[in-house]
Amino acid sequence: MVDYDYLVVGAGLFGATMANLLKAAGKKVLVIDRRDHIAGNVYTELVEGIDVHRYGAHIFHTDNKEVWDYVNRFAEFNRYTNSPIARFGDELYNLPFNMNTFSRIWSDVITPDDALRHIETERKEIVGEPKNLEEQAISLVGRTIYEKLIKGYTEKQWGRDCKDLPTSIIKRIPVRLIYDNNYFDDRYQGIPIGGYTAMVERMLEGVEVKLGVDFFEQRDKWQKIANKIVYTGAIDEYFDCCFGELEYRSLRFDTKILKAKNFQGNAVVNYTGHEVDYTRVIEHKHFESTDSDKTVVTYEYPSDYASGAEKYYTINDDKNNQMAAKYRTLAEQEKGVIFGGRLAEYKYYDMDDVIASAFAAAEKEQQS
């Protein structure tokens, strides 16, 4: 006898969405997570009256109205627009690359044609097919923008020289010939008022949840407790790394409470030079325009993945992609287990894509 229809391993967005949809379909569901909280990497916690994104900035954006309507069932979203600032030394630039950026970089840029003239001239440096990320970036936006706003940030992010990184990381760079600092093109965008944790709590209402539980410590027990498993952990770990360990980049966060109403004037400032080791500074109160005499800032440091750290970014080079394909083949053959989400698919996902993927998985289950 089993106790549940479904065991969901992981209480992040994929797991929470699956649990919510399966419960709505009349299934008995148990969710477990090795962390001491729900919501995965979108987890937010209240610090000094400010909703702090513990695992880095998360701005919800989508063109998928079904997904947008779904998340709005569990939270009211504010009108936050992601407009990061890039800092190179003592110079400040708007992101994404737009007319504000170009007129700051080149003093003679007034019109879109002026900006295009500079970019087209500099792009000619690369002849033939780009062989690495550096050449790819220069072929798209020229050397000036590459040197100031791409090179240092990317090398810190990936821990390698841009000449040693594949072109696939930066196949395209958005260039906007208008004065628009909105980072995303998506129709819908915002931050859930009260934080993501509260939103996920509402998604999991009526679902049994156990935290601080490691699936692998009592694997035999958990595999017998339900008819089916929804697995959102690392796919290689599920198969005992039989083909080898998939590689990741990790992050380290240094969060500080400051006695200041306003530290940097923006939620996200990217540091694109090598004069500092961190890639960006997040000032959390600006996500929800929180009125407080204090502020909470987080310095984000990319790092190599080491055992016990969090796995943030997949390394999609040939070696890892080939290994991941082997694991996906095993996953397709694993009866009674649904693999979904960033770690279980070894794939970078935006939040809306995670939810849309869970929609598809839940619908497939209902049809089976």
Side-chain angles (χ1 to χ4, degrees), residues 61-74:
H61 58 98
T62 187
D63 271 332
N64 188 324
K65 190 173 187 302
E66 182 184 11
V67 169
W68 182 246
D69 289 343
Y70 178 76
V71 294
N72 274 268
R73 288 167 47 192
F74 310 104

Side-chain angles (χ1 to χ4, degrees), residues 50-115:
I50 299 164
D51 281 311
V52 171
H53 299 213
R54 184 189 286 186
Y55 302 100
H58 286 84
I59 298 95
F60 201 94
H61 58 98
T62 187
D63 271 332
N64 188 324
K65 190 173 187 302
E66 182 184 11
V67 169
W68 182 246
D69 289 343
Y70 178 76
V71 294
N72 274 268
R73 288 167 47 192
F74 310 104
E76 179 183 356
F77 282 71
N78 65 17
R79 60 179 185 85
Y80 177 81
T81 300
N82 190 32
S83 302
I85 298 294
R87 180 170 175 174
F88 178 74
D90 291 329
E91 302 170 16
L92 298 176
Y93 299 95
N94 291 108
L95 296 177
F97 306 146
N98 67 79
M99 287 300 294
N100 289 311
T101 319
F102 306 140
S103 62
R104 179 84 172 88
I105 285 179
W106 296 295
S107 60
D108 62 340
V109 167
I110 302 297
T111 68
D113 283 344
D114 295 332

Side-chain angles (χ1 to χ4, degrees), residues 326-356:
K326 293 180 180 179
Y327 282 121
R328 292 189 193 105
T329 299
L330 285 184
E332 290 169 2
Q333 298 168 354
E334 188 78 354
K335 293 182 179 180
V337 182
I338 302 161
F339 293 81
R342 179 178 54 91
L343 296 177
E345 297 178 59
Y346 197 70
K347 179 179 179 180
Y348 180 81
Y349 267 124
D350 285 331
M351 289 182 283
D352 62 326
D353 293 329
V354 170
I355 292 172

Side-chain angles (χ1 to χ4, degrees), residues 140-185:
L140 292 170
V141 293
R143 181 167 287 278
T144 302
I145 294 174
Y146 165 71
E147 293 283 354
K148 286 179 178 286
L149 302 180
I150 298 173
K151 177 178 168 60
Y153 187 95
T154 304
E155 290 177 344
K156 290 188 291 186
Q157 184 74 9
W158 294 102
R160 292 161 65 186
D161 191 291
C162 284
K163 292 177 182 176
D164 298 324
L165 289 167
T167 59
S168 58
I169 292 177
I170 199 164
K171 276 296 186 184
R172 61 181 297 273
I173 301 172
V175 172
R176 296 181 183 167
L177 297 173
I178 54 175
Y179 291 91
D180 181 5
N181 298 326
N182 182 0
Y183 195 83
F184 300 119
D185 289 324

Side-chain angles (χ1 to χ4, degrees), residues 68-341:
W68 182 246
D69 289 343
Y70 178 76
V71 294
N72 274 268
R73 288 167 47 192
F74 310 104
E76 179 183 356
F77 282 71
N78 65 17
R79 60 179 185 85
Y80 177 81
T81 300
N82 190 32
S83 302
I85 298 294
R87 180 170 175 174
F88 178 74
D90 291 329
E91 302 170 16
L92 298 176
Y93 299 95
N94 291 108
L95 296 177
F97 306 146
N98 67 79
M99 287 300 294
N100 289 311
T101 319
F102 306 140
S103 62
R104 179 84 172 88
I105 285 179
W106 296 295
S107 60
D108 62 340
V109 167
I110 302 297
T111 68
D113 283 344
D114 295 332
L116 276 176
R117 185 181 67 253
H118 279 281
I119 293 171
E120 291 296 334
T121 299
E122 293 192 8
R123 289 177 61 190
K124 293 177 183 177
E125 175 186 339
I126 305 301
V127 178
E129 191 70 21
K131 296 184 290 293
N132 53 52
L133 188 147
E134 177 174 293
E135 292 187 3
Q136 179 73 20
I138 294 172
S139 74
L140 292 170
V141 293
R143 181 167 287 278
T144 302
I145 294 174
Y146 165 71
E147 293 283 354
K148 286 179 178 286
L149 302 180
I150 298 173
K151 177 178 168 60
Y153 187 95
T154 304
E155 290 177 344
K156 290 188 291 186
Q157 184 74 9
W158 294 102
R160 292 161 65 186
D161 191 291
C162 284
K163 292 177 182 176
D164 298 324
L165 289 167
T167 59
S168 58
I169 292 177
I170 199 164
K171 276 296 186 184
R172 61 181 297 273
I173 301 172
V175 172
R176 296 181 183 167
L177 297 173
I178 54 175
Y179 291 91
D180 181 5
N181 298 326
N182 182 0
Y183 195 83
F184 300 119
D185 289 324
D186 297 304
R187 181 177 180 184
Y188 309 106
Q189 180 177 178
I191 302 282
I193 297 171
Y196 286 99
T197 303
M199 181 184 84
V200 176
E201 282 177 351
R202 295 186 187 104
M203 293 171 71
L204 292 172
E205 281 182 1
V207 175
E208 187 178 351
V209 178
K210 297 186 180 199
L211 300 175
V213 174
D214 189 328
F215 172 77
F216 293 103
E217 288 183 357
Q218 291 183 286
R219 183 167 179 163
D220 288 343
K221 167 189 171 182
W222 297 117
Q223 286 182 317
K224 295 173 182 175
I225 205 169
N227 288 315
K228 285 191 174 182
I229 294 174
V230 176
Y231 178 78
T232 70
I235 190 171
D236 56 344
E237 190 175 5
Y238 183 90
F239 293 108
D240 299 318
C241 298
C242 62
F243 297 125
E245 292 187 24
L246 291 166
E247 295 178 302
Y248 294 86
R249 286 288 283 171
S250 191
L251 295 170
R252 178 174 63 85
F253 302 103
D254 181 15
T255 298
K256 301 177 180 180
I257 301 170
L258 304 178
K259 293 181 180 179
K261 287 186 71 71
N262 190 349
F263 174 69
Q264 64 184 16
N266 205 54
V268 180
V269 177
N270 290 357
Y271 284 74
T272 61
H274 280 291
E275 67 273 8
V276 295
D277 292 333
Y278 45 86
T279 49
R280 59 181 179 173
V281 178
I282 302 162
E283 188 169 9
H284 301 268
K285 71 189 310 180
H286 297 305
F287 287 130
E288 296 189 60
S289 300
T290 307
D291 185 20
S292 173
D293 289 332
K294 294 182 180 179
T295 193
V296 181
V297 298
T298 298
Y299 294 78
E300 188 172 301
Y301 296 83
S303 64
D304 291 328
Y305 171 76
S307 179
E310 295 295 339
K311 300 174 177 179
Y312 286 97
Y313 299 106
T314 57
I315 298 179
N316 296 110
D317 57 14
D318 289 342
K319 180 184 76 171
N320 283 287
N321 287 339
Q322 290 170 13
M323 193 188 307
K326 293 180 180 179
Y327 282 121
R328 292 189 193 105
T329 299
L330 285 184
E332 290 169 2
Q333 298 168 354
E334 188 78 354
K335 293 182 179 180
V337 182
I338 302 161
F339 293 81

